[in-house]
Every structure is written in structure tokens, then in C-alpha cells.
Amino acid sequence: MLKKMINKLRMLIAVLDFLVKNSAKLTFVPALAGFVTSLQETMAQISAMQEAQLVTSKGHTLTKDALKQKAISSILDIIKRANAYAVVANDLMLKEAISITNSQLEVMPQGNLVSACRLVIDSCSSKIADMAAYGLTAQMLTNAGTDLANYEVALPGAKNIIAARKTATSQLDTLFYDAESTLKKIDAMMEIVSNTDPMFYQNYRNLRVIDDLKGKAKASGSQGITGTVASIDTGLNLAGVKVSITGTSYDAITDADGNYSLSLGETGTFSLKAQLSGYSDYTEDGIEVTAGEFTDLDFDMEQAQ
């Protein structure tokens, strides 16, 4: 979810909570209760959309991780048996080819992991008859190959999360627009009590304030690009990502929550590049930045293959 949406959501939750808790005071306009109910319904839809996004991302990650662990387990069993044979037979080439530990496999980028496992299977295939006495069979190699293939099939699914998130963002934009439209009607009704109950009115107005980076930008005369960086593979936000504007000296590093903010001393159309060790570089072109505005740009990065 974009930071601007998060800020709006915080405001909406606070305002709705205030209105519900003070429902007894809202009788000064009979129609007001209906708009509060409408706001509650929209908020429920926003919550459901957030939950759907979370389940989709986590569901994919859990499936992929389970397949990864199964493939690693199969390969490690093969390595143990093949290593015993290599030591006894003094087969140095085989020993080198299968010299991989569990900890190494766990942290390997996806592409390297697949290649390393393939090398183990291929290296053992040519000597499978000799390793029968060590409990290594052709069926074990076949099963390991199947486990690895299943893991490979799951990898492209991560890329589809980007498209799904963009679609969800569009749907959330519509829901937030509906919520804001309802709030503007509530704002108009709340003006009725601005003089008769100024404290109640002011408390409401205070909650309607959004921590809006764009508004701050206009006040300071600056502009730029801001957003959050997440991992496609885990769905978690990424800290330490270097985000830079191509061809310029403008850059920033994402904080512990994956947030970044690039203040630019100029306007125009820019290209952005993001880099983090262990991840493929991310680039995006055609980013429009106008005077006094911060362009929102959230994006996902994929582990290096």
C-alpha cells in the first residue's frame, strides 16, 4: 500500500472511531448517521482488499518456500550418500561437484540454487551404478529432479505479484475516493455544530488532518519521488536499498521500514534505479515530477537468479 494511502487510512480509522464513539452527539442532523454507516461499509471493503493482498502474497511465498525446502532436503540426502562413495573411491572430481552445505543452499539466489542442485544430480547420474551400495538409486535422482522442477515452476509466480498489486492499488484508489467523498459530506454537516459545540467540532477537524508529504513539499517549495520498496519473494519491505535517479547525483537509502524519499532540485521526467545486494536491479522510466509535488512510487524487487 502506498504511503499516501497509509496516511489516509490512519486518518479514516481515527475519524470513524471518533464518530462511532460520539454517535449520541450526531443526532443534530438525522442524515449524518447514514453517511457514517456508508463510511463504515467502505472501510470494511478497504480492509478486505488489504487482507486479500496479504493472503495472496503470503500464500505464494509459503508455497514456494515449502517447495524449496523439499528440493533442498532431497539434494542433501543425495549429497550425503554420494560423498560417502567419493571418499571411499577417492573420486575428487565428484567430491568437488557435490561439495555444498545446507547453509549454502539456503542463502543462494534462486537461479544459483537451481544450478547447484542440477550439478549434483548430473554428477551422480553417470556413476549411479557404483553408488548403489551407498543407498543412492536412480529413483532418488529422479525424485530430486521432480522436486527441483516443481520449485522452478513456482518461481515465475512471484513476478505476477507486481501486476496483482497494481490492480489492487487501482481498486484501493477508488475505495479511498469513495471514502473521501463521504467524508466531505460529513464535513459539511459538522459545520453546523462549529459554533454550538466548538470543542467537539475542533476535535473532529484535528482528526481530519492527513500527514501529507505532498502538502509539506508545497510549503517548502521542494519536489521529488517517495515510496516504499518490498521484496516480491517475501512480501516484506526492504531496508538498505539504494534508490537513485539515473544520470544525476540524487540518491537515497531505504530506512528500516523500506521507505525512501528523494528530494529533487529540478522538475521533469526521470528514470529511477534501485540496487540491493542479492537482488536484481530495478529500473523504471518516465517518472514525472512537477514543482512542489512528491510523486508516489512503490515497487518490488526480486531476488537475483
Side-chain angles (χ1 to χ4, degrees), residues 198 210 259:
I210 302 174
N259 300 318

Side-chain angles (χ1 to χ4, degrees), residues 3-20:
K3 285 199 293 184
K4 66 177 181 180
M5 288 186 177
I6 293 174
N7 291 335
K8 283 185 179 180
L9 182 60
R10 289 171 179 165
M11 179 273 292
L12 287 168
I13 292 173
V15 168
L16 184 57
D17 183 63
F18 175 80
L19 292 172
V20 171

Side-chain angles (χ1 to χ4, degrees), residues 23-237:
S23 57
K25 287 191 173 186
L26 305 183
T27 55
F28 59 89
V29 179
L32 186 53
F35 287 113
V36 172
T37 299
S38 177
L39 183 59
Q40 285 178 307
E41 292 172 350
T42 302
M43 289 295 291
Q45 289 179 285
I46 291 174
S47 178
M49 179 63 67
Q50 283 184 285
E51 185 64 26
Q53 284 182 287
L54 187 61
V55 169
T56 299
S57 179
K58 282 190 173 181
H60 169 79
T61 300
L62 290 174
T63 299
K64 189 183 69 173
D65 286 347
L67 292 172
K68 174 183 176 180
Q69 293 306 316
K70 188 175 182 182
I72 289 177
S73 178
S74 297
I75 290 298
L76 289 175
D77 189 29
I78 291 172
I79 289 175
K80 289 178 182 178
R81 298 171 190 275
N83 185 65
Y85 162 80
V87 171
V88 173
N90 196 30
D91 191 330
L92 299 182
M93 290 185 63
L94 176 62
K95 188 172 178 62
E96 182 179 355
I98 63 173
S99 183
I100 310 170
T101 66
N102 179 44
S103 58
Q104 289 174 324
L105 290 172
E106 289 286 355
V107 298
M108 278 184 182
Q110 297 166 355
N112 292 357
L113 172 62
V114 171
S115 297
C117 291
R118 288 286 179 207
L119 178 60
V120 170
I121 294 173
D122 292 343
S123 298
C124 293
S125 294
S126 61
K127 302 182 180 182
I128 192 64
D130 297 332
M131 290 188 277
Y134 298 84
L136 187 56
T137 66
Q139 187 60 52
M140 291 175 66
L141 297 183
T142 299
N143 292 343
T146 300
D147 292 340
L148 191 60
N150 290 337
Y151 171 62
E152 285 186 281
V153 169
L155 297 182
K159 298 177 182 178
N160 297 331
I161 293 177
I162 294 178
R165 285 181 180 171
K166 287 183 177 179
T167 299
T169 297
S170 176
Q171 293 173 324
L172 283 170
D173 275 334
T174 300
L175 290 172
F176 275 112
Y177 176 82
D178 292 343
E180 185 62 31
S181 296
T182 301
L183 272 181
K184 286 180 179 179
K185 295 172 183 176
I186 294 175
D187 288 345
M189 296 180 187
M190 292 295 287
E191 290 293 331
I192 297 174
V193 295
S194 60
N195 292 325
T196 57
D197 195 342
M199 183 64 71
F200 175 67
Y201 172 77
Q202 191 57 53
N203 287 338
Y204 170 79
R205 294 306 309 175
N206 289 342
L207 293 173
R208 282 285 278 124
V209 176
I210 302 174
D211 183 14
D212 190 352
L213 184 57
K214 289 186 177 181
K216 294 177 182 177
K218 289 179 180 178
S220 64
S222 63
Q223 59 275 320
I225 305 170
T226 184
T228 303
V229 184
S231 167
I232 293 177
D233 305 279
T234 66
L236 301 176
N237 293 346

